[in-house]
Amino acid sequence: MPFSETLKSIVESVEGGLGAIIMADDGIAIDEYLLDGSGMDLNLMAVEYASLLKEVKRMADVLKTGSLEEMAVNTGRAQVIVRSINDELFIALILGQDGNCGKGRYLLRREVFGLRERLS
């Protein structure tokens, strides 16, 4: 079930969008969209962020703060926003350092509902 059109729409609708990926919590990429020349390795990102997400989910369970909905990581070169689709799947949006994080968060939150419906 390809989701590349949804991913493309998100990336191209936000200033500074570089790529987006839907991934399983084991780090397996389900679908992805990457702008040409972005210099990002989405598959490697999926594996590494899946590991981080497992730890954050575990911490939320231990602290009894509810399930993980969203996580953002800002580095010197990129911003990564990760949003939960369901218990096993996440969507990650990669923005450049000066990308519009607020709009990216909004677009992910909006699109997750449609993704959930398509997956059920």
Side-chain angles (χ1 to χ4, degrees), residues 5-108:
E5 285 302 314
T6 300
L7 297 174
K8 179 180 178 181
S9 172
I10 293 169
V11 171
E12 293 182 353
S13 295
V14 62
E15 182 181 332
L18 299 175
I21 187 168
I22 295 175
M23 61 185 171
D25 62 1
D26 60 2
I28 304 278
I30 307 301
D31 207 346
E32 65 184 60
Y33 175 77
L34 184 63
L35 285 180
D36 291 336
S38 68
M40 298 287 171
D41 183 342
L42 287 182
N43 288 316
L44 179 59
M45 288 183 111
V47 170
E48 295 300 330
Y49 276 95
S51 175
L52 180 60
L53 289 167
K54 283 181 187 177
E55 285 302 310
V56 173
K57 283 173 70 173
R58 186 190 62 73
M59 181 183 63
D61 288 342
V62 168
L63 297 174
K64 299 183 183 348
T65 57
S67 61
L68 175 66
E69 292 182 17
E70 183 180 88
M71 181 177 77
V73 177
N74 296 322
T75 66
R77 287 188 47 219
Q79 303 174 69
V80 179
I81 308 162
V82 182
R83 184 133 189 110
S84 177
I85 298 172
N86 59 31
D87 288 339
E88 294 102 25
L89 297 175
F90 293 87
I91 183 170
L93 173 63
I94 299 88
L95 304 170
Q97 185 180 20
D98 296 326
N100 188 337
C101 188
K103 185 170 184 182
R105 290 181 68 212
Y106 165 75
L107 291 171
L108 289 182

